[in-house]
Amino acid sequence: MLDLNFEIHFKKLPLWKGVIEEPSIPEFYPFSLGWNERYICQTTSKEILRQVVKSYSKNDYQLITSPPGTSSWGNSRGNIALEYIRNSFGSLNGKKVLDIGGGTTYIGEKLLSMDNIIEYTIMDPALSNKPPTPKIKIFRQYFTSETCPKENFDLIVSMNCFEHVPDPIDFLHTLRQLIQRQNGKAILLFPDTEKQLRNGDFNVILHEHLSYFTRKSFINLADFCGLKIIDCASDNDLFFFTLGVKQKIAHNVRTIDNILFKAAEQFAQNFEYFNNMVISLINDNKKVALHGACNGLNNLLALCKFPNRFYDHIYVFDGDENKTGKYLSVCPNPIISADDSKYREIDCVIVSAMSFYNQIRDFLISYHGIDSDNIYSLYPFKNE
């Protein structure tokens, strides 16, 4: 019998704001996950969640990862999204597009360069850029049933936004109303958290991510909101969904499984695994590289509370050039570029960006010549 009141609680975790310019004292907040009746969501206090959501519209808001148009890493992820949009929707000639939570104008500019789009509208409270072309319109506001545009759109895209919205059901109901007007489509990209939760991957935990979906829970939620699945794919723990309007709405759909129980067990085991591995390596006087300046690594370093002397043996590397020379909020050492020759001094590597474990491992072997026996993972890796 499943206990639907079961929750995962962390007394305090660092608030992930992305990497920072200078070492400073991080903000810590509690973090909790639990079930509502249809999907996993944060059950952290409402006041903390209100502060997180409110921060999106602040002028000094910092995106937690490099969006397309800000780094080669961000561009590579954006180009994957562009390829999916083109393959799933086809030509956008003569079409109108709404981008929800775009972060930058990169996707809009690229699509405009490919097709004769009539208009590309972006709704994002954190986007303060001036439109680079009259065909791009920017509205600095949240997408809700109250702020929903009155005009019609042929395509709605939303990339890495859905996990941030306070009310996913209102979001999807409003999405349905919009695409129904024009018999259009919606394309959503958001985290696939199933493997991360089952594996106890600390990268899945972010205060900004309010909802956590598996394939089953999202499909059932879309069904409940009157949306049909036209296409679905997942890569590197990221969902790609193409949605259309479904005429019959399934009001009684529920999604319940024991994934939170498994996640809680794995989080506890993986904390011990990482903590003991680092202690053992440092005690053996090894120089340790942590590859991936990500929130999961930041969470674990905060929980482990290693003594300052350990950081004389620890180096943080990342492939995103925007992170070079910056800092994790709980680590005193600056981030080093992944292709830096400093890797020649390293004895072993712990890959922390687990969604890209295989790519990073291949890079370390081919580019730096690191022996595969000296490459470890943040937790006992299962290549599922």
Side-chain angles (χ1 to χ4, degrees), residues 293-326:
C294 51
N295 63 291
L297 176 60
N298 205 54
N299 284 330
L300 275 169
L301 291 177
L303 290 169
C304 290
K305 299 178 182 177
F306 295 129
N308 289 336
R309 62 182 177 83
F310 273 34
Y311 289 97
D312 293 336
H313 302 266
I314 290 175
Y315 304 81
V316 180
F317 291 83
D318 198 279
D320 184 348
E321 72 270 19
N322 266 4
K323 296 181 180 181
T324 301
K326 297 180 182 178

Side-chain angles (χ1 to χ4, degrees), residues 182-196:
Q182 200 75 355
N183 193 27
K185 293 179 181 178
I187 293 177
L188 303 186
L189 278 66
F190 57 93
D192 175 358
T193 65
E194 182 158 1
K195 187 171 71 173
Q196 289 182 304

